[in-house]
Structures are given as C-alpha cells and as structure tokens.
C-alpha cells in the first residue's frame, strides 16, 4: 500500500472552541475543551471524544472488512466505546479504551468464528496499533 495523507484544519472561534474541517468534506465539527477541564464546555465533541471515536470507527471498519473476507454472515453490528482519561505521573493520558461490540448472527455454528473475527479485528485495527492506549475488547455475540 502506498503512503496516504489526511488533511485537516482547525480554526479557533473563541472561548475554548474551534471548528474542525477538511478540504475533503463539506461538513465541519465543532470541538471544545471538555467540561472536566478549566473553562471546558459540555455538550460538544472534544479531542477525547474524537480520540475514542477514532479507535471505535477503525475497529468497526476493520471488522467489516475481515468479516466480509471471512464470509461471516451477520445481521447486525453495533459497538459502544468508553475512553478512560487519567492523570499519570503528572500528565493526562487516555489510558484505556473499552470496546463493547455486539454482533448478531443467524447461525449458532458461527459463534466461535465471530469471536475469532472480533479478536482479529481488534489486533488488526491500524488506529489501535498506532497508539499507546490499552484497548480492551468486551464483546457479545447473539444468535437471532
């Protein structure tokens, strides 16, 4: 695979807010300092949300690719994520991201295959492989 580039811009709009944009997309995202910090603002996307979302969305797209390649027939995929921010030796770090996927399948015989694909997806996720944050997989497989 060749080298790829992803371009973003951020413009400060006042207080602890900014507008995140990319020349590749028509929409923007307002980002703020989260309310846990001084002068933070509740109810908006923060870098901590976007960091957690990066891992979550990469895990999903990796799962979709591996499931397709493995010919796993699933009915539904959904996943929640919890990003844990802590102070470690005087620095704030995202120390852990807990991924909680639920995969719904039709065939009882594919439970183990689904579990293997979930583990493989977490190990193959390029964002998870690019960070020092511990990524934990807490999945459920349901037969419909």
């Amino acid at each position: 695979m060749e080298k790829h580039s992803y371009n973003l811009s951020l413009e400060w709009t006042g207080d602890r807010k900014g507008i995140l944009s990319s020349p590749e997309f028509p929409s923007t995202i307002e980002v703020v300092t989260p309310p846990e910090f001084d002068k933070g603002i509740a109810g908006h996307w923060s870098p901590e949300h976007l960091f957690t979302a990066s891992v979550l969305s990469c895990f999903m797209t990796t799962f979709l690719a591996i499931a397709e390649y493995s010919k796993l027939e699933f009915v539904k995929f959904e996943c929640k994520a919890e990003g844990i921010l802590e102070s470690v030796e005087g620095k704030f770090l995202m120390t852990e991201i807990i991924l909680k996927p639920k995969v719904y399948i039709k065939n009882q015989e594919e439970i183990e295959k689904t579990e293997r694909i979930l583990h493989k997806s977490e190990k193959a996720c390029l964002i998870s492989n690019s960070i020092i944050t511990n990524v934990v997989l807490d999945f459920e497989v349901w037969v419909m």
Side-chain angles (χ1 to χ4, degrees), residues 56-73:
L56 175 59
S57 57
C58 183
F59 172 74
M60 181 199 72
T61 57
T62 304
F63 171 82
L64 295 175
I66 294 172
E68 180 181 342
Y69 180 80
S70 303
K71 300 194 181 356
L72 174 68
E73 292 186 30

PDB file of all heavy atoms in Angstrom, residues 56-73:
ATOM      1  N   LEU A  56     -12.862   3.448  17.865  1.00  0.00           N
ATOM      2  CA  LEU A  56     -14.148   2.778  17.649  1.00  0.00           C
ATOM      3  C   LEU A  56     -14.458   2.603  16.167  1.00  0.00           C
ATOM      4  O   LEU A  56     -14.798   1.506  15.709  1.00  0.00           O
ATOM      5  CB  LEU A  56     -15.268   3.567  18.332  1.00  0.00           C
ATOM      6  CG  LEU A  56     -16.694   3.101  18.134  1.00  0.00           C
ATOM      7  CD1 LEU A  56     -16.886   1.676  18.632  1.00  0.00           C
ATOM      8  CD2 LEU A  56     -17.647   4.054  18.836  1.00  0.00           C
ATOM      9  N   SER A  57     -14.337   3.664  15.392  1.00  0.00           N
ATOM     10  CA  SER A  57     -14.680   3.579  13.976  1.00  0.00           C
ATOM     11  C   SER A  57     -13.679   2.722  13.205  1.00  0.00           C
ATOM     12  O   SER A  57     -14.055   1.997  12.276  1.00  0.00           O
ATOM     13  CB  SER A  57     -14.816   4.975  13.353  1.00  0.00           C
ATOM     14  OG  SER A  57     -13.635   5.722  13.525  1.00  0.00           O
ATOM     15  N   CYS A  58     -12.403   2.761  13.589  1.00  0.00           N
ATOM     16  CA  CYS A  58     -11.409   1.898  12.943  1.00  0.00           C
ATOM     17  C   CYS A  58     -11.698   0.433  13.245  1.00  0.00           C
ATOM     18  O   CYS A  58     -11.608  -0.421  12.359  1.00  0.00           O
ATOM     19  CB  CYS A  58     -10.003   2.265  13.405  1.00  0.00           C
ATOM     20  SG  CYS A  58      -8.715   1.294  12.591  1.00  0.00           S
ATOM     21  N   PHE A  59     -12.065   0.145  14.491  1.00  0.00           N
ATOM     22  CA  PHE A  59     -12.409  -1.230  14.848  1.00  0.00           C
ATOM     23  C   PHE A  59     -13.584  -1.720  14.000  1.00  0.00           C
ATOM     24  O   PHE A  59     -13.556  -2.823  13.463  1.00  0.00           O
ATOM     25  CB  PHE A  59     -12.742  -1.333  16.346  1.00  0.00           C
ATOM     26  CG  PHE A  59     -13.293  -2.672  16.734  1.00  0.00           C
ATOM     27  CD1 PHE A  59     -12.476  -3.781  16.808  1.00  0.00           C
ATOM     28  CD2 PHE A  59     -14.638  -2.817  17.008  1.00  0.00           C
ATOM     29  CE1 PHE A  59     -12.995  -5.032  17.143  1.00  0.00           C
ATOM     30  CE2 PHE A  59     -15.165  -4.053  17.347  1.00  0.00           C
ATOM     31  CZ  PHE A  59     -14.340  -5.165  17.423  1.00  0.00           C
ATOM     32  N   MET A  60     -14.621  -0.882  13.854  1.00  0.00           N
ATOM     33  CA  MET A  60     -15.780  -1.294  13.067  1.00  0.00           C
ATOM     34  C   MET A  60     -15.415  -1.545  11.607  1.00  0.00           C
ATOM     35  O   MET A  60     -15.782  -2.576  11.044  1.00  0.00           O
ATOM     36  CB  MET A  60     -16.897  -0.247  13.114  1.00  0.00           C
ATOM     37  CG  MET A  60     -18.127  -0.674  12.323  1.00  0.00           C
ATOM     38  SD  MET A  60     -19.241   0.680  11.868  1.00  0.00           S
ATOM     39  CE  MET A  60     -18.282   1.491  10.600  1.00  0.00           C
ATOM     40  N   THR A  61     -14.685  -0.634  10.993  1.00  0.00           N
ATOM     41  CA  THR A  61     -14.356  -0.811   9.579  1.00  0.00           C
ATOM     42  C   THR A  61     -13.429  -2.000   9.368  1.00  0.00           C
ATOM     43  O   THR A  61     -13.533  -2.701   8.357  1.00  0.00           O
ATOM     44  CB  THR A  61     -13.751   0.474   8.968  1.00  0.00           C
ATOM     45  OG1 THR A  61     -12.598   0.859   9.714  1.00  0.00           O
ATOM     46  CG2 THR A  61     -14.771   1.614   8.969  1.00  0.00           C
ATOM     47  N   THR A  62     -12.559  -2.255  10.332  1.00  0.00           N
ATOM     48  CA  THR A  62     -11.692  -3.437  10.255  1.00  0.00           C
ATOM     49  C   THR A  62     -12.528  -4.704  10.392  1.00  0.00           C
ATOM     50  O   THR A  62     -12.337  -5.668   9.640  1.00  0.00           O
ATOM     51  CB  THR A  62     -10.587  -3.377  11.332  1.00  0.00           C
ATOM     52  OG1 THR A  62      -9.865  -2.147  11.181  1.00  0.00           O
ATOM     53  CG2 THR A  62      -9.638  -4.554  11.208  1.00  0.00           C
ATOM     54  N   PHE A  63     -13.459  -4.695  11.333  1.00  0.00           N
ATOM     55  CA  PHE A  63     -14.355  -5.850  11.493  1.00  0.00           C
ATOM     56  C   PHE A  63     -15.131  -6.111  10.207  1.00  0.00           C
ATOM     57  O   PHE A  63     -15.233  -7.254   9.752  1.00  0.00           O
ATOM     58  CB  PHE A  63     -15.337  -5.636  12.657  1.00  0.00           C
ATOM     59  CG  PHE A  63     -16.411  -6.682  12.714  1.00  0.00           C
ATOM     60  CD1 PHE A  63     -16.164  -7.909  13.306  1.00  0.00           C
ATOM     61  CD2 PHE A  63     -17.661  -6.451  12.158  1.00  0.00           C
ATOM     62  CE1 PHE A  63     -17.149  -8.895  13.336  1.00  0.00           C
ATOM     63  CE2 PHE A  63     -18.648  -7.427  12.182  1.00  0.00           C
ATOM     64  CZ  PHE A  63     -18.390  -8.655  12.773  1.00  0.00           C
ATOM     65  N   LEU A  64     -15.678  -5.068   9.611  1.00  0.00           N
ATOM     66  CA  LEU A  64     -16.467  -5.238   8.381  1.00  0.00           C
ATOM     67  C   LEU A  64     -15.625  -5.860   7.267  1.00  0.00           C
ATOM     68  O   LEU A  64     -16.089  -6.746   6.553  1.00  0.00           O
ATOM     69  CB  LEU A  64     -17.049  -3.900   7.935  1.00  0.00           C
ATOM     70  CG  LEU A  64     -18.076  -3.270   8.882  1.00  0.00           C
ATOM     71  CD1 LEU A  64     -18.476  -1.882   8.389  1.00  0.00           C
ATOM     72  CD2 LEU A  64     -19.292  -4.161   9.074  1.00  0.00           C
ATOM     73  N   ALA A  65     -14.391  -5.408   7.137  1.00  0.00           N
ATOM     74  CA  ALA A  65     -13.518  -5.948   6.084  1.00  0.00           C
ATOM     75  C   ALA A  65     -13.162  -7.408   6.352  1.00  0.00           C
ATOM     76  O   ALA A  65     -13.237  -8.249   5.450  1.00  0.00           O
ATOM     77  CB  ALA A  65     -12.252  -5.101   5.978  1.00  0.00           C
ATOM     78  N   ILE A  66     -12.800  -7.724   7.588  1.00  0.00           N
ATOM     79  CA  ILE A  66     -12.419  -9.096   7.916  1.00  0.00           C
ATOM     80  C   ILE A  66     -13.622 -10.023   7.850  1.00  0.00           C
ATOM     81  O   ILE A  66     -13.516 -11.157   7.365  1.00  0.00           O
ATOM     82  CB  ILE A  66     -11.716  -9.156   9.290  1.00  0.00           C
ATOM     83  CG1 ILE A  66     -10.376  -8.424   9.215  1.00  0.00           C
ATOM     84  CG2 ILE A  66     -11.523 -10.607   9.747  1.00  0.00           C
ATOM     85  CD1 ILE A  66      -9.677  -8.257  10.548  1.00  0.00           C
ATOM     86  N   ALA A  67     -14.777  -9.560   8.306  1.00  0.00           N
ATOM     87  CA  ALA A  67     -15.997 -10.373   8.245  1.00  0.00           C
ATOM     88  C   ALA A  67     -16.359 -10.680   6.796  1.00  0.00           C
ATOM     89  O   ALA A  67     -16.719 -11.818   6.460  1.00  0.00           O
ATOM     90  CB  ALA A  67     -17.151  -9.664   8.944  1.00  0.00           C
ATOM     91  N   GLU A  68     -16.244  -9.688   5.921  1.00  0.00           N
ATOM     92  CA  GLU A  68     -16.546  -9.905   4.507  1.00  0.00           C
ATOM     93  C   GLU A  68     -15.559 -10.904   3.897  1.00  0.00           C
ATOM     94  O   GLU A  68     -15.960 -11.843   3.209  1.00  0.00           O
ATOM     95  CB  GLU A  68     -16.492  -8.578   3.746  1.00  0.00           C
ATOM     96  CG  GLU A  68     -16.795  -8.719   2.277  1.00  0.00           C
ATOM     97  CD  GLU A  68     -16.725  -7.391   1.521  1.00  0.00           C
ATOM     98  OE1 GLU A  68     -16.769  -6.325   2.161  1.00  0.00           O
ATOM     99  OE2 GLU A  68     -16.616  -7.444   0.289  1.00  0.00           O
ATOM    100  N   TYR A  69     -14.285 -10.712   4.161  1.00  0.00           N
ATOM    101  CA  TYR A  69     -13.255 -11.604   3.639  1.00  0.00           C
ATOM    102  C   TYR A  69     -13.457 -13.041   4.146  1.00  0.00           C
ATOM    103  O   TYR A  69     -13.234 -14.005   3.418  1.00  0.00           O
ATOM    104  CB  TYR A  69     -11.869 -11.087   4.032  1.00  0.00           C
ATOM    105  CG  TYR A  69     -10.745 -11.948   3.542  1.00  0.00           C
ATOM    106  CD1 TYR A  69     -10.296 -11.860   2.225  1.00  0.00           C
ATOM    107  CD2 TYR A  69     -10.129 -12.864   4.390  1.00  0.00           C
ATOM    108  CE1 TYR A  69      -9.259 -12.665   1.768  1.00  0.00           C
ATOM    109  CE2 TYR A  69      -9.096 -13.674   3.944  1.00  0.00           C
ATOM    110  CZ  TYR A  69      -8.669 -13.569   2.629  1.00  0.00           C
ATOM    111  OH  TYR A  69      -7.649 -14.370   2.187  1.00  0.00           O
ATOM    112  N   SER A  70     -13.909 -13.165   5.403  1.00  0.00           N
ATOM    113  CA  SER A  70     -14.123 -14.472   6.030  1.00  0.00           C
ATOM    114  C   SER A  70     -15.491 -15.064   5.729  1.00  0.00           C
ATOM    115  O   SER A  70     -15.826 -16.125   6.242  1.00  0.00           O
ATOM    116  CB  SER A  70     -13.960 -14.350   7.548  1.00  0.00           C
ATOM    117  OG  SER A  70     -12.697 -13.845   7.876  1.00  0.00           O
ATOM    118  N   LYS A  71     -16.288 -14.311   4.964  1.00  0.00           N
ATOM    119  CA  LYS A  71     -17.642 -14.734   4.600  1.00  0.00           C
ATOM    120  C   LYS A  71     -18.518 -14.993   5.830  1.00  0.00           C
ATOM    121  O   LYS A  71     -19.306 -15.927   5.870  1.00  0.00           O
ATOM    122  CB  LYS A  71     -17.604 -15.957   3.687  1.00  0.00           C
ATOM    123  CG  LYS A  71     -16.849 -15.675   2.382  1.00  0.00           C
ATOM    124  CD  LYS A  71     -17.068 -16.721   1.354  1.00  0.00           C
ATOM    125  CE  LYS A  71     -16.343 -16.509   0.049  1.00  0.00           C
ATOM    126  NZ  LYS A  71     -15.590 -15.343  -0.202  1.00  0.00           N
ATOM    127  N   LEU A  72     -18.357 -14.133   6.844  1.00  0.00           N
ATOM    128  CA  LEU A  72     -19.211 -14.198   8.023  1.00  0.00           C
ATOM    129  C   LEU A  72     -20.519 -13.492   7.707  1.00  0.00           C
ATOM    130  O   LEU A  72     -20.526 -12.321   7.331  1.00  0.00           O
ATOM    131  CB  LEU A  72     -18.546 -13.514   9.221  1.00  0.00           C
ATOM    132  CG  LEU A  72     -19.427 -13.401  10.471  1.00  0.00           C
ATOM    133  CD1 LEU A  72     -19.691 -14.794  11.070  1.00  0.00           C
ATOM    134  CD2 LEU A  72     -18.783 -12.482  11.491  1.00  0.00           C
ATOM    135  N   GLU A  73     -21.603 -14.201   7.848  1.00  0.00           N
ATOM    136  CA  GLU A  73     -22.914 -13.604   7.631  1.00  0.00           C
ATOM    137  C   GLU A  73     -23.466 -13.150   8.978  1.00  0.00           C
ATOM    138  O   GLU A  73     -23.812 -13.968   9.821  1.00  0.00           O
ATOM    139  CB  GLU A  73     -23.848 -14.614   6.970  1.00  0.00           C
ATOM    140  CG  GLU A  73     -23.430 -14.951   5.552  1.00  0.00           C
ATOM    141  CD  GLU A  73     -24.438 -15.836   4.839  1.00  0.00           C
ATOM    142  OE1 GLU A  73     -25.639 -15.758   5.148  1.00  0.00           O
ATOM    143  OE2 GLU A  73     -23.998 -16.605   3.981  1.00  0.00           O
TER     144      GLU A  73
END
